[in-house]
Amino acid sequence: MAKRLSQNLNSDFIAAANRLGGKHARHKIVAYVESYDDVFFWSNLLRPLETEQFYFEVMLPSRTSLCKGKKIAMANNLGNRLGASMIACVDADYDFLMQGATETSRQVCRNPYVFHTYVYAIENFQCYAPALHNVCVMATLNDRRIFDFEDFLAKYSEIIWPLFVWSIWAYRYGRHTTFSMLDFYHIVVIDKLNYYHPEQTLDAMRHRVNAKISRLQKQFPQGRSTYKPLRDELLALGLTPATTYLYMRGHDLFDGIVSPMLTGVCEALRREREREIRKLAGHAVQMQNELAAYQHAVSPVEEMLRKHTGYTSSPPYLRVQDDVRHFLEGLSTPKPSADSDTTSQTIPTRQ
């Protein structure tokens, strides 16, 4: 019986349950997400948008298995189950940039009950450049700026932008087996970074990117007529060369670029603070006590990178919130029929 009930759980069922609470009770909107990590992110995003009429409950789509992922969040036998009282909240991946070229992309871009991150994934938000200095402060309790994350990631993004367009081109035109996301990552990964002379790393990156672009131009001559229109389309979608890093594969950015970069900076800041303690301590016991207290107070860099919320002022994040706000405004608009249920009305597709 429980299994049959869960199979029939849909937006209309939630709407009916909401009506049982009375005419003036707040209506619950179930928001399905992809994984455990997504629960906090989407709860944090949705909670400020709740109104006197509507509130959200964020959950994984399956209560009978441990299955996770975008397809589970949007499918999982959901079919037509999504609606005004049941939505899906997912990572955009490349699906937003594919603009309907695949079935999943069509769902992500056109289904009014599917909300996505715009950037590739939650990890990209966590790597939002203007927030990275504060992440270092959280991890080291040292506020000195020894590296300009914003300037570096903007220059890095501008260098990889032309190759990133080729990456999207490969997926749009079915050439991703020849030039995959992993191939892209192997070229744009940062192996070594001199924090005092980052231009050395950027120059080497520029050389690798230009060499790969030259090979792709020879390998795919048909790209001469399709590359520029695609580039212009991506720019029209809101991408900019200086923020390319937000749209590349999230775990590549997090694990291969930003986390190692922050680790190096934080190690330098911790050593600096420990040298300061040793210098100012009046005697050995005080030095040991202060060092122990400091080492107990600092936190792992990766943990702070995952837990901070400094990206909530970023344009893509605010764009997601605007989509949800528009969705809720549509639900609040009275329908012509006085006895109609407002939670069942159709929401216009996002542009």
Side-chain angles (χ1 to χ4, degrees):
M1 175 66 72
K3 185 175 181 180
R4 289 198 298 271
L5 284 173
S6 66
Q7 288 173 341
N8 292 322
L9 184 63
N10 57 21
S11 181
D12 290 339
F13 182 92
I14 300 298
N18 283 330
R19 286 194 293 272
L20 293 177
K23 183 177 180 181
H24 300 291
R26 295 177 82 198
H27 289 193
K28 177 173 72 174
I29 299 174
V30 171
Y32 281 141
V33 298
E34 299 180 55
S35 68
Y36 298 117
D37 293 338
D38 295 355
V39 173
F40 172 73
F41 173 86
W42 285 102
S43 177
N44 219 35
L45 185 146
L46 296 171
R47 203 67 64 212
L49 306 177
E50 293 179 341
T51 67
E52 293 181 356
Q53 189 175 359
F54 301 105
Y55 72 96
F56 295 96
E57 182 176 340
V58 180
M59 63 177 67
L60 294 176
S62 177
R63 295 189 175 186
T64 59
S65 75
L66 296 177
C67 295
K68 297 184 286 292
K70 176 185 288 187
K71 290 184 178 179
I72 299 298
M74 293 197 308
N76 194 35
N77 295 322
L78 286 175
N80 296 320
R81 290 166 60 190
L82 294 179
S85 297
M86 183 183 288
I87 62 176
C89 300
V90 300
D91 288 338
D93 300 332
Y94 268 10
D95 292 316
F96 167 54
L97 306 182
M98 296 289 282
Q99 284 295 293
T102 66
E103 176 57 33
T104 302
S105 177
R106 284 190 286 275
Q107 286 288 318
V108 168
C109 296
R110 301 172 188 172
N111 191 322
Y113 306 112
V114 175
F115 297 88
H116 62 84
T117 53
Y118 285 104
V119 302
Y120 188 96
I122 291 173
E123 289 93 339
N124 300 73
F125 278 124
Q126 293 166 344
C127 296
Y128 183 53
L132 294 183
H133 172 70
N134 281 341
V135 174
C136 289
V137 177
M138 292 167 63
T140 67
L141 306 180
N142 186 341
D143 195 31
R144 196 164 81 86
R145 294 177 184 268
I146 63 174
F147 188 75
D148 192 335
F149 296 107
E150 292 185 59
D151 181 70
F152 179 82
L153 282 174
K155 291 177 178 176
Y156 168 84
S157 291
E158 288 168 355
I159 290 170
I160 70 171
W161 162 252
L163 187 61
F164 177 77
V165 177
W166 271 108
S167 178
I168 302 301
W169 184 93
Y171 279 82
R172 281 275 193 105
Y173 292 97
R175 302 292 185 173
H176 55 277
T177 55
T178 304
F179 184 47
S180 66
M181 291 186 198
L182 183 60
D183 296 326
F184 173 78
Y185 170 66
H186 284 160
I187 294 173
V188 303
V189 65
I190 298 175
D191 296 322
K192 294 180 181 179
L193 176 59
N194 184 331
Y195 295 96
Y196 300 99
H197 295 285
E199 68 277 1
Q200 296 174 355
T201 299
L202 294 174
D203 288 343
M205 178 73 62
R206 186 179 291 105
H207 176 77
R208 293 201 305 272
V209 167
N210 289 340
K212 182 61 178 179
I213 290 175
S214 179
R215 293 194 295 271
L216 288 170
Q217 288 172 337
K218 294 177 182 178
Q219 190 172 7
F220 302 115
Q222 64 270 37
R224 293 179 181 176
S225 61
T226 52
Y227 177 91
K228 187 179 183 299
L230 174 59
R231 183 193 63 191
D232 293 342
E233 180 184 336
L234 295 178
L235 292 170
L237 288 174
L239 280 70
T240 66
T243 58
T244 308
Y245 73 98
L246 291 175
Y247 299 90
M248 62 185 285
R249 188 160 59 177
H251 69 81
D252 289 340
L253 175 69
F254 188 103
D255 297 328
I257 298 168
V258 173
S259 184
M261 182 167 60
L262 260 66
T263 297
V265 171
C266 288
E267 285 177 356
L269 291 171
R270 284 173 182 157
R271 288 196 300 268
E272 180 184 83
R273 180 66 77 215
E274 289 170 356
R275 283 195 300 269
E276 182 182 81
I277 291 172
R278 290 187 178 95
K279 179 181 178 181
L280 297 176
H283 48 77
V285 174
Q286 184 185 38
M287 182 183 72
Q288 292 300 327
N289 289 342
E290 288 295 325
L291 283 173
Y294 175 68
Q295 291 164 0
H296 179 73
V298 297
S299 304
V301 176
E302 185 172 325
E303 181 180 341
M304 293 300 98
L305 192 54
R306 293 193 183 279
K307 286 187 174 181
H308 82 97
T309 56
Y311 48 78
T312 55
S313 61
S314 67
Y317 188 91
L318 297 176
R319 189 176 179 183
V320 183
Q321 287 192 317
D322 282 343
D323 287 342
V324 177
R325 192 176 289 109
H326 177 72
F327 166 76
L328 292 177
E329 289 171 355
L331 295 183
S332 301
T333 302
K335 296 182 70 174
S337 175
D339 59 350
S340 296
D341 174 26
T342 58
T343 63
S344 298
Q345 79 178 70
T346 301
I347 307 301
T349 304
R350 296 188 302 275
Q351 297 299 316

